[in-house]
Amino acid sequence: MKFSEQLVIAISNPKRYKDILKLSRRSFVKYVIITVLLLSTITFVIPGAATITGFGGFEKLFETNLKTFKYEKGVASLDKVFKMNINGTTVIIDTSEKEVSAKQMKNDGTYIAISSERVIVASSVSGNVVKVADYRLYDFFPFDIDKDRLIQFIPAIYMYLALTFLMKGVFYFAEYAFYALFLAIILNIMRKNHSYNISYKSLFVICFLAQTLMMFVNAINEAVAIAPSYIVNLIGLFYTVRMATIGVLSTVESSK
């Protein structure tokens, strides 16, 4: 069975989950890997590619907006304030101050703020700015940097982005595997009061499949912010439980 067929069944036809259970373990592993990579693509690659295309690539960025950037002996300098949003994280470079003011971080989100001597990672929620990390620039860069040095870093930047893409995939697997395990435990307890007799491994597969639509809706919402995440998660939870229940009961019907 092709991945596309499994995807359609997982999203829209829980009564056919029993057909996927008949496939090999390798087939399910392949389904999981492709799914989490697609989620990473939606939430990271597409927005990231749009941002990079928007400023014309890193070389153009360094040649124009950061042309005058210099970092010498632990002190950074740039002739103007620079701001850029990358995948929901706002990068601010303001070397006119020793520390970037919280006034520049009013909008909700994550910030990486670079001043003349410090780099701060902060989170802003409803106007309240909380520092997550605060370091001296020298702790990160013990060597001098200018525009030409930044251009030399471009391959390393793309390597970092590729690693981040893979790490997001691992994160998605861990997150949804945990949810599947939790739901499988509940269904395993409930089977004492119901007529189905199914292995725990099969319950896990069904519960993972049942989350598929929720996974993609959450990923799309994360990328374009259609609705508040808690609403999407709540609706997704009820839908997932319904899909998993139908999937489990379908195995009873097929065994009769």
Side-chain angles (χ1 to χ4, degrees), residues 3-179:
F3 170 78
S4 57
E5 295 177 73
Q6 295 181 60
L7 183 62
V8 171
I9 291 172
I11 291 175
S12 62
N13 196 352
K15 289 186 177 181
R16 288 196 59 195
Y17 285 0
K18 59 183 181 291
D19 296 333
I20 296 180
L21 291 177
K22 298 174 183 177
L23 302 177
S24 65
R25 179 184 300 178
R26 181 179 179 182
S27 179
F28 176 67
V29 170
K30 182 180 177 181
Y31 175 84
V32 171
I33 292 174
I34 295 176
T35 299
V36 297
L37 291 181
L38 284 175
L39 296 176
S40 294
T41 300
I42 293 171
T43 59
F44 184 75
V45 176
I46 295 177
T51 300
I52 293 171
T53 302
F55 57 71
F58 286 107
E59 186 168 355
K60 183 178 179 181
L61 175 69
F62 297 153
E63 288 280 7
T64 55
N65 299 67
L66 299 176
K67 185 177 181 178
T68 62
F69 179 82
K70 284 187 178 180
Y71 170 76
E72 295 178 331
K73 298 179 181 179
V75 179
S77 64
L78 184 64
D79 63 351
K80 57 186 177 181
V81 177
F82 171 79
K83 288 187 179 183
M84 181 175 65
N85 187 280
I86 304 176
N87 283 349
T89 298
T90 301
V91 178
I92 302 175
I93 302 178
D94 184 357
T95 59
S96 65
E97 304 175 274
K98 289 188 177 181
E99 183 175 314
V100 175
S101 171
K103 294 179 181 179
Q104 299 191 53
M105 298 180 271
K106 289 183 178 180
N107 296 329
D108 288 1
T110 302
Y111 290 83
I112 299 176
I114 301 172
S115 60
S116 60
E117 298 180 9
R118 309 197 71 81
V119 55
I120 294 171
V121 180
S123 178
S124 178
V125 180
S126 300
N128 297 315
V129 179
V130 178
K131 289 184 183 179
V132 178
D134 185 354
Y135 302 99
R136 295 185 307 161
L137 278 174
Y138 188 79
D139 295 332
F140 280 96
F141 307 108
F143 46 82
D144 293 347
I145 300 173
D146 58 12
K147 178 200 69 176
D148 295 328
R149 194 72 178 268
L150 287 172
I151 292 174
Q152 292 175 5
F153 286 156
I154 291 176
I157 293 173
Y158 281 113
M159 188 176 297
Y160 170 78
L161 292 175
L163 180 61
T164 303
F165 165 73
L166 294 176
M167 290 304 297
K168 281 188 75 74
V170 172
F171 170 78
Y172 280 127
F173 168 74
E175 179 183 5
Y176 290 113
F178 173 79
Y179 289 150

